[in-house]
């Protein structure tokens, strides 16, 4: 794993500990593994971040931080990965989640036009809501598993390459 490369982009633990939205976690942010970049914390952080990225909830970063604390994994990676869901990618991701959920529930996909109103949200909760939420949970779980095993495999592969290069120097 390109540990040095990732560490360049990670914020300092003090910066995140003092962040106004993370103050609610208090002393929980002092756990060593939340800031460590190792073979256990990195894959778990990818799983947490990718799972939360698929959840259609506000304050995804705070939720990802809470899960990183619960699972004792790298907090900056988990929080950063939720930004996969952004205003550009969100419509595509959530529409794919809706289609998958509708397919799993054997519902024919419904035509709908999004409106940014509370009335539209209330009306849509019972029509497109169940397939949408199911699709988000399934895709979040699938991407979390893929991310976990991909990072775990890449980490092991990079260690093998380092061992081989050390052996060749002898």
């Amino acid at each position: 794993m390109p540990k040095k490369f990732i560490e360049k982009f990670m914020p300092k633990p003090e910066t995140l500990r003092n962040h106004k939205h993370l103050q609610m976690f208090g002393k929980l942010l002092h756990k060593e593994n939340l800031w460590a970049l190792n073979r256990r914390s990195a894959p778990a952080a990818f799983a947490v971040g990718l799972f939360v990225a698929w959840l259609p909830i506000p304050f995804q970063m705070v939720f990802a931080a809470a899960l990183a604390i619960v699972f004792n994994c790298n907090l900056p990676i988990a929080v950063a990965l939720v930004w996969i869901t952004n205003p550009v990618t969100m419509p595509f991701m959530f529409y794919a989640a809706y289609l998958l959920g509708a397919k799993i529930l054997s519902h024919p996909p419904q035509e709908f036009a999004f409106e940014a109103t509370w009335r539209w949200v209330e009306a849509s909760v019972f029509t497109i809501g169940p397939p949408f939420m199911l699709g988000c949970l399934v895709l979040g779980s699938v991407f979390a598993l893929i991310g976990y095993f991909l990072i775990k495999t890449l980490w092991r592969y990079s260690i093998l390459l380092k061992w081989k290069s050390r052996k060749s120097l002898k």
Side-chain angles (χ1 to χ4, degrees), residues 33-36 40-42 44-45 48 67-69 71-76 78:
N33 210 39
L34 293 177
W35 314 105
R40 288 186 185 91
S41 68
V48 166
L67 286 178
I69 291 168
F71 291 109
N72 201 24
C73 62
N74 188 282
L75 189 136

Side-chain angles (χ1 to χ4, degrees), residues 23 39 60-61 77 86 88-90 111 116 150-151 162 164:
Q23 288 293 314
R39 65 185 174 100
Q60 286 177 317
M61 291 181 5
I77 291 175
N86 59 60
V88 174
T89 62
M90 193 181 302
E111 293 280 328
L150 179 67
I151 297 304
K162 283 181 186 178
K164 284 182 180 183

Side-chain angles (χ1 to χ4, degrees), residues 33-105:
N33 210 39
L34 293 177
W35 314 105
L37 190 58
N38 58 46
R39 65 185 174 100
R40 288 186 185 91
S41 68
F46 268 79
V48 166
L50 291 172
F51 179 76
V52 175
W54 281 95
L55 298 180
I57 57 173
F59 306 109
Q60 286 177 317
M61 291 181 5
V62 174
F63 192 62
L67 286 178
I69 291 168
V70 168
F71 291 109
N72 201 24
C73 62
N74 188 282
L75 189 136
I77 291 175
V79 169
L81 279 170
V82 301
W83 281 96
I84 290 171
T85 311
N86 59 60
V88 174
T89 62
M90 193 181 302
F92 303 106
M93 290 173 64
F94 287 167
Y95 186 63
Y98 168 70
L99 291 177
L100 177 66
K103 187 167 184 85
I104 292 171
L105 293 175

Side-chain angles (χ1 to χ4, degrees), residues 5 25 43 54 60 63 68 72 107 114 135 142 151 167:
F5 177 76
F25 297 118
W54 281 95
Q60 286 177 317
F63 192 62
N72 201 24
H107 289 175
F114 175 76
V142 167
I151 297 304
K167 279 186 177 182

